[in-house]
Every structure is written in C-alpha cells, then in structure tokens.
Amino acid sequence: EKKVTENLAKKFNLGPNSGGIMLSGGSLSNIQALAIARNRKLDTFEKGLNDLKRKPYIFTSEQSHTSIQKAAMILGLGTNSVVSIETNKFGKMKIDKLEKSINEKINSNGFPFCIVATAGTTITGSIDELNEISRISNKYKLWMHTDAVYGGALIFSDKYKSKLNGIEKSDSVSFNPQKWLYITKTCSLLLLRNKKYLYSDFFTP
C-alpha cells in the first residue's frame, strides 16, 4: 500500500513528501481529506470546533459530488458551511464567482478554509480550472483538495493528462482506480502533498 500510494502521488507530481492511503470509496477519501483540511486550517485536532469565533466555509462547484456536503455534516461543520459556486456552460467553476464568494464570507466575519476542485464531474465529466483555483487558494491561504475520483485516470494518458494541469498544486487528491483503471473491487486513494498528516491527524498515542 505504501509503495502504491507513494508511486501514484509522484505520478500526480505531488512532491517528494507525498504519499497516501487506500480507502473503500471516493466518499470516504473526500471525508478524510476534509478532516485533515479542517484540522490543519482551523486547528481543531485537539480543541474541536467549539472555540471557533468565525463560521468556517468550504467552497466547491455546484456540480461537485454530494459527498462534500455529507463530509461537512459528518465533520461537525454543517451542510450550510459548503458554498456552491456557479459553473459556466462547460460545467467548470466560475473563478470570478469563487473569489467574490470568498471575499463576501471574509467580510461577513466568516472563515474560508478550503476549496474543493472537481476533476471529472458526475454528470458531464467537467474539470475545473485547477491552476486558477490553486492561485486563489494560495492568495487566501486555503487548503486545496481536488476530487479526481472520476477523472484522475487521465494522468496515465500522454494525450489527455494536460487536462489535469494544476492538480499537482493540490494539498490533497482523491482518486478511484475502480473507474477507468478497471480494478474489480471498490477502492479509492487519498493522496497528500504531505503524507505526515496521515499520522499527525489520525494517530493518537
């Protein structure tokens, strides 16, 4: 598992400290990614959510998978912490709407902490503008998670992998080999730029 996840993380060019874990489905990968984002950005590993002075927010495409809202509910953030961003005619998140929404939440004393990009929407297979989302994430110091459960296998295609340009800038990526790689068992991978978070955020002595 360690070799497979580290090799795939390097395939996505996530960097020398990258790695991951195998899970039983894409929804679980997204939940675990958002749990790490919550802990890292909101400092909730020990203190929980009770001490937060501002409402935390996750931003994602209106065409993103329903597991994002479910993750927010399970993680104690509430489904109304997920802000759905309008998409264009190609099914991609509108970057201007994303930045406007982030600023609106900041100005109303909200706490934006994560953007979930989608690389392969369920209905149309659309891939968000990953480089632009990375730029916004860096500007506002937000965690960038890319849900590549459906479209991640493009990374193996010399012809089409350019459609995933920018995914290497993600803090975390979810990817399901059971899709285009034809693995005959439900399985998913959560890949992290910093694999140490799997230990710091999920291990207690």
Side-chain angles (χ1 to χ4, degrees), residues 14 27-28 38 49 57 65 110 129 134-135 139 148 159 172:
L14 292 178
S27 292
L28 189 55
R38 178 198 63 182
L49 297 170
Y57 288 100
H65 194 263
E129 300 290 349
S134 172
R135 178 182 65 81
K139 180 177 179 179
K159 184 176 181 180
S172 54

Side-chain angles (χ1 to χ4, degrees), residues 25-170:
S27 292
L28 189 55
S29 288
N30 285 336
I31 289 171
Q32 193 150 329
L34 292 180
I36 294 172
R38 178 198 63 182
N39 291 348
R40 295 289 100 199
K41 294 298 182 178
L42 304 180
D43 192 24
T44 57
F45 181 74
E46 292 183 343
K47 298 184 294 185
L49 297 170
N50 291 335
D51 290 338
L52 292 181
K53 306 301 182 185
R54 297 181 290 156
K55 169 75 174 175
Y57 288 100
I58 299 165
F59 301 82
T60 191
S61 162
E62 63 183 357
Q63 295 192 33
S64 66
H65 194 263
T66 57
S67 61
I68 306 305
Q69 283 78 12
K70 292 174 183 177
M73 179 268 293
I74 291 169
L75 295 171
L77 301 166
T79 57
N80 65 0
S81 70
V82 180
V83 181
S84 295
I85 305 300
E86 183 182 348
T87 53
N88 62 23
K89 64 181 179 180
F90 301 109
K92 301 172 183 285
M93 197 185 332
K94 290 184 176 180
I95 300 301
D96 59 333
K97 298 288 187 182
L98 171 62
E99 187 160 19
K100 180 181 178 182
S101 185
I102 290 171
N103 278 306
E104 286 175 349
K105 295 304 183 186
I106 291 173
N107 292 335
S108 61
N109 201 37
F111 193 163
F113 75 95
C114 179
I115 303 174
V116 178
T118 305
T121 59
T122 304
I123 305 301
T124 61
S126 300
I127 298 173
D128 286 330
E129 300 290 349
L130 302 178
N131 278 310
E132 282 298 297
I133 291 173
S134 172
R135 178 182 65 81
I136 298 294
S137 295
N138 290 334
K139 180 177 179 179
Y140 294 96
K141 296 180 172 57
L142 310 183
W143 184 278
M144 178 180 171
H145 172 62
T146 300
D147 178 353
V149 162
Y150 180 47
L154 289 172
I155 204 69
F156 293 95
S157 169
D158 290 336
K159 184 176 181 180
Y160 294 112
K161 66 182 178 182
S162 62
K163 293 184 179 295
L164 294 176
N165 282 349
I167 198 168
E168 71 279 359
K169 300 172 184 176
S170 306

